Amino acid sequence: MTSTNDMTGTNDVTSTNDTGAVAGPASGPTSHTHRLRGLIGTGFIATLAAMVATTLAAALAKAVGVGFEIPEGGETIPLSGFAVVTGFFSAVGIVIAVALLRWSARPAQRFVWTAVSLTAISLVPPLLSGADTATITTLLGLHLVPAAVMIPTLTRSLRTPLGAEQG
């Protein structure tokens, strides 16, 4: 290898010894920020899909005669209520996924465990509601609809290796 340094401060380096080393993807804050943004963006789109799917499933159930009446107070759950509650708890899922991405060595595995556990816990209130069998059964199914959208989508985003994001 030869190197010359003239008075202008330029450095001319020529070499015939090329090691073939190539820099890999950035693994610093830029990559982490990109992955975080991807997770949040994917989560937001999945949230919208879960809200639509749950609301459509509830509308279909209502059309075939499910009353969604909760005996305590005699109130009927409005279709908009399904969208709002689905959106809120899907956002909670995104926050959990972001926290696990930041602080867990195995975010995808921890997320699946946490999300499935919380989904199982969410099945208890319909069972205790005192509603008729059709309403209880439908509410149980409607808890599983957004879980079926959100859990696999966020898990897939958490498993995306650094540098594999599509820009």
Side-chain angles (χ1 to χ4, degrees), residues 62-112:
K62 194 170 204 143
V64 297
V66 177
F68 294 119
E69 185 176 315
I70 305 302
E72 201 170 299
E75 291 188 30
T76 300
I77 303 170
L79 288 179
S80 61
F82 292 103
V84 169
V85 171
T86 299
F88 176 79
F89 284 105
S90 294
V92 169
I94 295 168
V95 170
I96 291 169
V98 166
L100 290 171
L101 179 62
R102 171 67 179 93
W103 290 297
S104 176
R106 298 182 321 180
Q109 293 87 346
R110 300 277 188 245
F111 179 76
V112 169

Side-chain angles (χ1 to χ4, degrees), residues 121-157:
I121 291 168
S122 79
L123 299 176
V124 173
L127 295 172
L128 301 176
S129 69
D132 62 42
T133 304
T135 298
I136 291 172
T137 304
T138 304
L139 288 173
L140 292 173
L142 290 174
H143 277 80
L144 301 178
V145 170
V149 173
M150 296 300 296
I151 295 172
T153 302
L154 292 174
T155 301
R156 197 170 19 256
S157 286

Side-chain angles (χ1 to χ4, degrees), residues 12-107:
D12 178 26
V13 176
T14 58
S15 172
T16 57
N17 185 11
D18 185 5
T19 62
V22 177
S27 61
T30 303
S31 183
H32 180 73
T33 301
H34 183 73
R35 191 166 179 204
L36 183 64
R37 286 183 182 165
L39 175 63
I40 293 170
T42 299
F44 178 73
I45 292 167
T47 296
L48 293 177
M51 290 170 67
V52 168
T54 304
T55 305
L56 286 175
L60 180 61
K62 194 170 204 143
V64 297
V66 177
F68 294 119
E69 185 176 315
I70 305 302
E72 201 170 299
E75 291 188 30
T76 300
I77 303 170
L79 288 179
S80 61
F82 292 103
V84 169
V85 171
T86 299
F88 176 79
F89 284 105
S90 294
V92 169
I94 295 168
V95 170
I96 291 169
V98 166
L100 290 171
L101 179 62
R102 171 67 179 93
W103 290 297
S104 176
R106 298 182 321 180

